[in-house]
Amino acid sequence: MTSLFQALMIILNVVWFIMIAHIIMSWLLNFQVLNIRQPMVAQIWYGLTRLLEPIYTPIRRILPQTPGLDLAPLVAFVALIILQRVLINNAGFFYGY
């Protein structure tokens, strides 16, 4: 069970870093620090977007539509942090205590 706990934590940490990269890159694109017409920037942006769309899409269906403001990444980020905390607080279950 320890390896299951560690695998779950690694997966959540990887998703956390991907979400942080996507959020920071969206800011840089919106403030025109990065240009989407550059091939490498476009490739990274579309790759991150394709990775995170399966997470964001169900959240967008539940949330009310807010024009110009996408709250799905914020909700997903908070849910990810809560899930990590729940796993950490219940680590004794995985370790057999």
Side-chain angles (χ1 to χ4, degrees), residues 9-78:
M9 289 304 294
I10 288 171
I11 291 169
L12 290 178
N13 284 333
V14 168
V15 171
W16 187 82
F17 281 114
I18 291 172
M19 287 179 73
I20 289 290
H22 188 255
I23 291 167
I24 290 173
M25 195 165 182
S26 73
W27 291 343
L28 293 175
L29 288 170
N30 285 332
F31 291 121
Q32 298 177 354
V33 175
L34 294 177
N35 190 351
I36 200 73
R37 287 184 229 125
Q38 296 174 342
M40 181 129 179
V41 172
Q43 187 176 13
I44 293 170
W45 174 251
Y46 292 128
L48 290 173
T49 302
R50 275 186 254 137
L51 282 172
L52 292 172
E53 274 307 310
I55 297 172
Y56 294 160
T57 303
I59 296 171
R60 285 186 183 123
R61 283 190 217 128
I62 296 169
L63 291 176
Q65 290 192 1
T66 53
L69 184 62
D70 187 15
L71 296 175
L74 177 66
V75 172
F77 195 68
V78 169

Side-chain angles (χ1 to χ4, degrees), residues 72-94:
L74 177 66
V75 172
F77 195 68
V78 169
L80 180 70
I81 292 171
I82 290 171
L83 187 58
Q84 283 180 330
R85 299 297 178 247
V86 166
L87 279 175
I88 290 170
N89 289 337
N90 294 309
F93 171 76
F94 292 100

